[in-house]
């Protein structure tokens, strides 16, 4: 079975063709500058096939982008499948499913209507995801099943005490203001892998999953269900991120807006684009740059990383308390998979709660590894995330019924 996984943005579209049963990747790539001029990247994973790297292809809309992907995948010389008939289904990453979707769904006219209803919750992302679905229908026809896999769905198991904000109740009832959480596909994937690494049923383990990348979130997973997560109504909440502020005192907004005569648009733009580790350090949103700058004597770069690590550590402590214990802590995504020093800083000095790191085992990158000491009561796991494989697996499961 071959599943095409699509992650559509407003002017870009990432794709992978993979086999969810074997996990084999056949091809991946991306369409960029859709609606501007169009650049196409194609990376077949079969030896001898030609790679295309940001070549010019006119893409006035997402439909031409999908058509370009199809042409490459079935190309007689450099394609990876013989015809479109060998693509069994399409799985779409959809950012926001609101309260309507607690799991992945087969896309129908009714589902499309519900996705439209979720646009106010994710005005930048959901319209692009919908455009991607429509483009696939236009190019592939109505007979190829398409599935929506939501960033928010995994977190729909949170109890009300975790997802409610202490605002007047009508904002929840009338306006759906609540914590939704994001990165759900990643948290779900690594939780499944963690249970396998521990040799336990997922129903029997308490996990804390730390997805630390450009955007970061931490999730408490009890018996395979998300019970709390650090992102909120939007992905602006929780940890300080590359350029996002994370949690802060809402009173600061009024103070700064009054003092500098800013409107809410300017303020929110600062919170999303000029804050986080970039804002604190004044150096970069990339943790590698921060580490280098700190080595060169830039204390603010060091402070930014310290603040981030401290934020993760506090979430680990609070989620262990929330679940009444923890069996394993998972590190994933760009920072979690690659930065041994940050993993060590986050998970050190937690011996009081049964976490003991193994510095030697921790000196590893990007592969599934137990990085805690043999006698650590709580296991610490490095697990590379694979959201595309999770989307393909969900899509296959739904298509097979
Ligand atoms: P996104 O949220 O955009 O998917 P990723 O999960 O790819 O982000 O994470 C990207 C981040 O990972 C980069 O900003 C970079 O700071 C961090 N990163 C990648 N490699 C390393 C490394 N070796 N050490 C520290 N940080 C790293």
């Amino acid at each position: 079975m071959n599943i095409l996984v699509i992650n559509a943005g407003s002017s870009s579209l990432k794709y992978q063709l993979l086999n969810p049963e074997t996990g084999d990747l056949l091809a991946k790539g991306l369409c960029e500058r859709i609606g501007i001029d169009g650049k196409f990247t194609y990376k077949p994973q079969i030896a001898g096939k030609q790679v295309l790297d940001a070549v010019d292809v006119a893409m006035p809309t997402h439909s031409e982008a999908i058509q370009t992907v199809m042409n490459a995948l079935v190309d007689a010389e450099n394609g990876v499948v013989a015809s479109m008939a060998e693509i069994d289904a399409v799985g779409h990453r959809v950012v926001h499913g609101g309260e309507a979707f607690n799991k992945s769904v087969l896309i129908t006219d009714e589902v499309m209507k519900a996705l439209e209803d979720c646009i106010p919750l994710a005005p930048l992302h959901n319209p692009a995801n919908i455009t991607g679905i429509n483009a696939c229908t236009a190019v592939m026809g109505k007979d190829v099943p398409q599935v929506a896999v939501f960033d928010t769905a995994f977190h729909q198991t949170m109890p009300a005490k975790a997802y409610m904000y202490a605002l007047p109740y009508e904002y929840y009832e009338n306006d759906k203001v609540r914590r939704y959480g994001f990165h759900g596909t990643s948290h779900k994937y690594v939780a499944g892998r963690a249970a396998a690494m521990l040799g336990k049923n997922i129903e029997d383990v308490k996990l804390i999953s730390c997805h630390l990348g450009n955007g970061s979130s931490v999730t408490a997973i009890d018996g395979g269900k998300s019970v709390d997560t650090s992102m909120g109504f939007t992905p602006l909440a929780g940890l300080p991120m590359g350029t996002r502020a994370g949690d802060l005192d809402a009173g600061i907004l009024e103070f700064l807006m009054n003092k500098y005569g800013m409107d809410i648009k300017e303020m929110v733009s600062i919170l999303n684009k000029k804050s986080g580790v970039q804002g604190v350090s004044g150096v970069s949103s990339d943790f590698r740059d921060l580490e280098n700058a700190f080595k060169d004597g830039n204390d603010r770069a060091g402070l930014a990383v310290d603040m981030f690590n401290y934020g993760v550590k506090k979430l680990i402590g609070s989620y262990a308390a929330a679940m009444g214990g923890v069996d394993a802590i998972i590190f994933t995504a760009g920072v979690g998979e690659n930065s041994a020093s940050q993993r060590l800083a986050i998970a050190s000095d937690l011996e009081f709660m049964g976490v003991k790191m193994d510095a030697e085992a921790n000196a590893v990158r990007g592969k599934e590894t137990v990085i805690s000491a043999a006698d650590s009561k709580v296991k610490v796991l490095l697990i590379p995330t694979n959201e595309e494989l999770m989307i393909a697996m969900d899509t296959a499961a739904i298509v097979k019924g």
Side-chain angles (χ1 to χ4, degrees), residues 32-46:
E32 291 169 288
R33 299 174 61 87
I34 301 169
I36 305 164
D37 42 13
K39 300 271 178 206
F40 181 59
T41 296
Y42 171 64
K43 295 180 177 169
Q45 305 293 300
I46 298 171

Side-chain angles (χ1 to χ4, degrees), residues 9-90:
S10 57
S11 69
S12 71
L13 181 153
K14 291 186 205 144
Y15 66 92
Q16 287 196 3
L17 183 68
L18 33 81
N19 180 331
E21 283 134 356
T22 59
D24 287 343
L25 178 64
L26 282 81
K28 65 176 179 178
L30 100 142
C31 304
E32 291 169 288
R33 299 174 61 87
I34 301 169
I36 305 164
D37 42 13
K39 300 271 178 206
F40 181 59
T41 296
Y42 171 64
K43 295 180 177 169
Q45 305 293 300
I46 298 171
K49 305 269 178 184
Q50 197 194 340
V51 171
L52 301 177
D53 190 9
V55 299
D56 291 316
V57 180
M59 298 177 195
T61 73
H62 284 65
S63 291
E64 287 82 8
I66 293 286
Q67 187 64 60
T68 306
V69 173
M70 284 303 149
N71 293 347
L73 293 175
V74 305
D75 183 71
E77 226 167 291
N78 293 306
V80 292
V81 287
S83 74
M84 222 155 77
E86 288 182 28
I87 299 173
D88 299 279
V90 184

Side-chain angles (χ1 to χ4, degrees), residues 183 211-216 244 285-289 291 333-335 338-340 342 365 387:
H183 292 143
H211 178 112
L212 312 179
N214 206 6
S216 297
R244 279 174 257 170
S285 62
D286 190 300
F287 284 89
R288 286 164 291 197
D289 298 341
E291 213 164 296
V335 176
N338 292 298
S339 178
Q342 288 191 250
R365 288 173 64 168
E387 289 162 279

